[in-house]
Amino acid sequence: PYAPNLVESTRSIGYSFETALADIIDNSISNFARRIDVKFSNTDVPYVAIIDNGIGMGTAELEKAMRYGSSSSLDERRETDLGRFGLGLKMASMSQCRKLTVISKQGRIVSAASWDLDYIHKTKNWSLKRYSEAEIASLRFSSTLENYDSGTVVVWEKLDRISESPKDFDREFNEKLNFADKHMALVFHRFLENKLTKHYFELYFNNRK
């Protein structure tokens, strides 16, 4: 399919900010994360980042994860797999932003790739950006993975769906994050409160548990 049209059209399918964020956290839980950090800022270049210490991905696995329709609903799935069609990471993220960057560490290898909708429009193709080792070092929050044996960082930038008016952006950004904070506490409360469950994890919003 023609990349710019398909990506633009899938941005409007069924995600609010909080459900999109929950979908990314689902991925972290599926990959056995025990700590998930949601970092965000509305200054300079606004962003939302989800950082986990799960099992991470190698280069080939990351590229597969970034592919639209990367898995079939007919595939046999792991018991821990909460995804279904291989679309969640991309569609949830791109419903909120125009640039999605994923950095992942497995073993000593760190890989990164991004979908930038503006770049897709410019090239008129499925132009997945891949990053060299030197480029990865300059990416936002890549250094966080140095503290983990493995893990993944998902970064949302060019947050064009936060507010229809630039002058209301700061207020609506803060409102969406405050509501998302409460939504995550409700949706994941069994995993957050019971250390005996196999899916137990700790969730932090800008370093606040």
Side-chain angles (χ1 to χ4, degrees):
Y2 184 56
N5 289 356
L6 182 62
V7 177
E8 287 285 7
S9 64
T10 57
R11 299 188 74 207
S12 301
I13 299 178
Y15 281 100
S16 62
F17 180 86
E18 65 275 9
T19 58
L21 186 59
D23 211 341
I24 305 304
I25 292 175
D26 277 346
N27 287 343
S28 297
I29 296 170
S30 295
N31 287 292
F32 307 104
R34 286 293 176 259
R35 175 174 175 138
I36 301 172
D37 283 87
V38 178
K39 305 274 192 176
F40 50 91
S41 174
N42 59 358
T43 59
D44 298 328
V45 181
Y47 65 83
V48 176
I50 303 92
I51 306 163
D52 72 51
N53 65 346
I55 59 176
M57 294 175 281
T59 302
E61 193 176 0
L62 172 59
E63 291 200 9
K64 180 182 178 183
M66 294 294 275
R67 186 181 307 136
Y68 275 70
S70 57
S71 60
S72 169
S73 60
L74 303 177
D75 290 345
E76 184 175 348
R77 302 192 297 160
R78 301 196 317 262
E79 181 184 350
T80 57
D81 186 5
L82 302 178
R84 198 73 186 107
F85 303 106
L87 290 169
L89 169 65
K90 286 77 64 177
M91 287 179 60
S93 298
M94 300 303 276
S95 73
Q96 304 302 315
C97 69
R98 297 184 69 81
K99 183 177 181 182
L100 160 66
T101 302
V102 181
I103 313 161
S104 200
K105 178 181 181 182
Q106 195 172 71
R108 296 184 177 181
I109 304 300
V110 180
S111 309
S114 71
W115 287 119
D116 186 331
L117 192 47
D118 296 331
Y119 187 61
I120 290 173
H121 276 283
K122 180 180 179 180
T123 61
K124 297 179 173 59
N125 205 345
W126 292 99
S127 304
L128 180 68
K129 288 187 176 182
R130 301 167 178 85
Y131 296 93
S132 66
E133 184 175 347
E135 290 171 329
I136 291 172
S138 67
L139 294 176
R140 197 189 300 270
F141 293 114
S142 64
S143 61
T144 306
L145 293 176
E146 295 174 4
N147 302 320
Y148 297 148
D149 293 331
S150 61
T152 299
V153 178
V154 175
V155 184
W156 296 349
E157 296 173 293
K158 300 183 182 179
L159 298 162
D160 64 328
R161 295 295 179 90
I162 295 292
S163 173
E164 294 182 2
S165 171
K167 68 179 181 179
D168 294 330
F169 181 89
D170 289 352
R171 176 180 57 80
E172 294 195 25
F173 183 89
N174 290 330
E175 286 178 357
K176 286 183 185 293
L177 266 300
N178 286 335
F179 185 78
D181 183 326
K182 297 178 177 63
H183 184 77
M184 300 310 131
L186 176 65
V187 170
F188 297 110
H189 72 94
R190 287 187 299 168
F191 296 166
L192 295 168
E193 294 173 358
N194 186 356
K195 292 186 177 183
L196 298 180
T197 179
K198 62 182 177 181
H199 288 311
Y200 172 77
F201 71 99
E202 295 181 342
L203 178 62
Y204 293 82
F205 267 57
N206 270 358
N207 302 318
R208 181 180 55 79
K209 187 175 180 182

